């Protein structure tokens, strides 16, 4: 178990800047989820931590030991690959035992540890099979068993659930999380599924174009997204954005979008801002006990998810469409004019240029 | 459909095995009945021709030389060709395409051309008339094939298997040795068979590079013209059987390993 520190890690593939200065400090024993769109460098970062990829620049530490230049085998990491990479020419038992064999454990110890790992992952009956005789889910368990059997300092998982069907994915999600609670091994988990990220991560690191944009608890990421990118990436349906000019009337600043004015709670110096509204913060009734703004909208399309309803609404005269997520089942005719309400507290403000959070 | 497939199968099998079978029968037909066309199958069978060919006419010694040459040439071409194929599959380096092209080009060079110039080199090196000498020439013939074949095997085995090996405690070389090589086994077995047959059947270079220690085909070529026909058939049998045995031994790596049955 170790703290993992990455200092300004860079990895270039020729012209491609896969990692462009990644700095993060991962607490000992934490379960950290790396989340980001395809091609943002998640896999590359994992490979840098494991040592499969040489760094172009920067440093990586496990606790106080620098590991940046060490071979993978000298780092005491384990990895669950997206394809599992369970060796097809070894039986399940040999697959799990192999890391121990390479670390020169005695025969008895190997046997005992393999049994421990196999019991933990519920694959004891599969030990004398070849990987080709397993289902995808079973193979995934073998890959996890192999990864934890020698009690690594750092466990890396690259989209381990993406090849499983939806039902199994939900089940494995909780199992992996339980496993982590038992083992307390520092875990870095890559996914681009935000539900996985939200439910599994003690902390989430959101990546984009080779950088970590925000590192925080799921709650922080959801409630206080550091940039408009993070805000748009987390949450489903996506946050609604309005590009607004800042105007001032009677000493009060407003973000103005066509005829809609969003009251800005405290003084800012930006000339234009992006206002973000989460679909789940839009309601049909004015919220009680807090300030709210009213939007006049036309129903464009309605999705009944049972019991929730997602409304696609046209606001204002321009072609700006927003989504609203309502907790109940609801039927509204398309084309109907309605009023929706958003509490002032739930507004997010980002700078229009840098897209960084202001309020 | 149920009838057509077996029928088709039998037809094809007959087409390939028929001549072999007839040659085999001819090789164990007594000399007295050989030219008697009144019946196809002889009244009795004899190992006389094969015996004579092997033990009186030096066939056995040539057979041993042939096996030696085949094994040495496979050994050499594997020792050099597997790492080369691996490098081509896994690394990008300057001139990689050139190397691959050159490899194919050597295949278009008839071995006999090489063999003639080899004789003079071998005389200086004292390699004429040795199994090693012929094996070197055969290795030159097999090597490009092994490189191209293994490179395609290695590029089709997941690199992640090796990377998993490295993460779990192997060096880069260890991962090659313990993971990739065993995974390439079926492909390597196929190359071994192909290499064996190339060497086993190669006649010209073997004839030029050796005089006393001839390989079987070279020996047969040198003696066949002067022999009666039933000896020629006996030669065919003697040529075919070791190759069949070799393929039979290697076969198990081809068709069934690791619970995957590729029947
Ligand atoms: N070996 C390589 N050679 C060249 N470019 C590479 C290599 N590996 C990755 N890249 C590039 O680096 C960038 C980051 O890739 P990476 O695989 O880390 O993305 P990712 O976040 O894991 O994406 P995904 O979610 O699709 O798996 C991509 O632009 C990719 O094309
Ligand atoms: Mg990836």
């Amino acid at each position: 178990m170790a703290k993992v520190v990455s200092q300004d890690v860079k990895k270039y593939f020729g012209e491609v800047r896969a990692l462009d200065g990644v700095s993060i400090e991962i607490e000992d024993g934490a379960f950290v989820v790396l989340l980001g769109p395809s091609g943002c460098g998640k896999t590359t970062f994992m490979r840098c931590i494991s040592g499969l990829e040489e760094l172009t620049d920067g440093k990586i530490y496990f606790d106080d030991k620098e590991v940046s230049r060490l071979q993978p085998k000298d780092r005491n990491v384990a990895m669950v690959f997206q394809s599992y990479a369970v060796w097809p020419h070894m039986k399940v038992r040999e697959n799990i035992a192999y890391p121990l064999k390479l670390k020169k454990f005695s025969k008895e110890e190997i046997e005992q540890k393999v049994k421990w790992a196999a019991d933990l992952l519920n694959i004891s009956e599969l030990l004398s099979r070849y990987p080709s005789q397993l289902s995808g889910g079973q193979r995934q368990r073998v890959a996890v068993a192999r990864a934890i059997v020698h009690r690594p300092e750092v466990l890396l998982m690259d989209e381990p659930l993406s090849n499983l069907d939806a039902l199994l994915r939900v089940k494995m999600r909780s199992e992996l999380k339980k496993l982590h609670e038992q083992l307390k091994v520092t875990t870095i988990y890559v996914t681009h599924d935000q539900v996985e990220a939200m439910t599994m991560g003690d902390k989430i690191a959101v990546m984009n174009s080779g950088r970590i944009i925000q590192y925080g608890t799921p709650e922080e990421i959801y409630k206080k997204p550091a940039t408009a990118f993070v805000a748009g990436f987390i949450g489903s349906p996506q946050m609604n954005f309005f590009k607004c000019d800042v105007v001032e009337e009677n000493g009060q600043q407003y973000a103005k979008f066509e005829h809609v004015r969003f009251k800005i709670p405290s003084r800012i110096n930006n000339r234009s801002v992006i206002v973000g509204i989460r679909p789940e913060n839009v309601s049909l009734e004015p919220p009680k006990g807090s300030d709210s703004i009213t939007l006049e909208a036309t129903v464009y399309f309605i999705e009944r998810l049972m019991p929730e309803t997602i409304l696609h609404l046209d606001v204002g005269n321009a072609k700006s469409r927003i989504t609203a997520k309502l907790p109940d089942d609801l039927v509204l005719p398309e084309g109907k004019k309605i009023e929706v309400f958003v509490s002032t507290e739930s507004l997010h403000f980002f700078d229009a240029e840098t897209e960084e959070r202001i309020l | 459909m149920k009838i057509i497939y077996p029928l088709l199968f039998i037809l094809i099998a007959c087409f390939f095995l028929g001549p072999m079978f007839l040659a085999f029968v001819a090789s164990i037909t007594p000399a007295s009945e050989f030219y008697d066309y009144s019946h196809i199958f002889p009244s009795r069978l004899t190992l006389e021709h094969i015996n004579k060919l092997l033990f009186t006419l030096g066939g056995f010694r040539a057979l041993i030389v042939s096996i030696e040459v085949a094994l040495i040439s496979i050994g050499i071409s594997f020792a050099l060709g597997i790492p080369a194929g691996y490098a081509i599959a896994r690394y990008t380096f300057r001139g990689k395409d050139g190397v691959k092209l050159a490899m194919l080009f050597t295949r278009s060079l008839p071995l006999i051309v090489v063999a003639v110039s080899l004789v003079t080199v071998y005389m200086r090196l004292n390699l004429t008339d040795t199994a090693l000498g012929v094996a070197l020439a055969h290795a030159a013939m097999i090597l490009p094939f092994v490189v191209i074949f293994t490179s395609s095997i290695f590029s089709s085995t997941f690199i992640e298997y090796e990377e998993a090996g490295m993460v779990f405690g192997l060096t880069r070389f260890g991962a090659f040795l313990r993971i990739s090589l065993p995974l390439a086994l079926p492909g390597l077995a196929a190359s071994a068979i192909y290499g064996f047959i190339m060497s086993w059947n190669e006649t010209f270079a073997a004839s030029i590079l050796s005089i006393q220690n001839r390989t079987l085909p070279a020996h047969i070529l040198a003696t066949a013209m002067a022999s009666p026909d039933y000896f020629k058939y006996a030669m065919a049998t003697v040529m075919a059987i070791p190759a069949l045995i070799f393929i039979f031994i290697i076969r198990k790596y081809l068709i069934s390993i690791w619970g995957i049955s590729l029947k």
Side-chain angles (χ1 to χ4, degrees), chain A residues 13 16 18 36-45 53 82 159 192:
Chain A
F13 296 103
V16 182
S38 191
C40 71
K42 304 181 296 290
T43 299
T44 307
F45 186 48
E53 215 71 74
Q82 188 172 0
E159 307 199 28
H192 48 225

Side-chain angles (χ1 to χ4, degrees), chain A residues 119-137:
Chain A
D119 283 344
L120 205 57
L121 282 141
N122 249 324
I123 47 171
S124 306
E125 305 84 60
L126 309 176
L127 285 176
S128 39
R129 291 206 203 162
Y130 280 106
S132 62
Q133 300 160 328
L134 301 178
S135 73

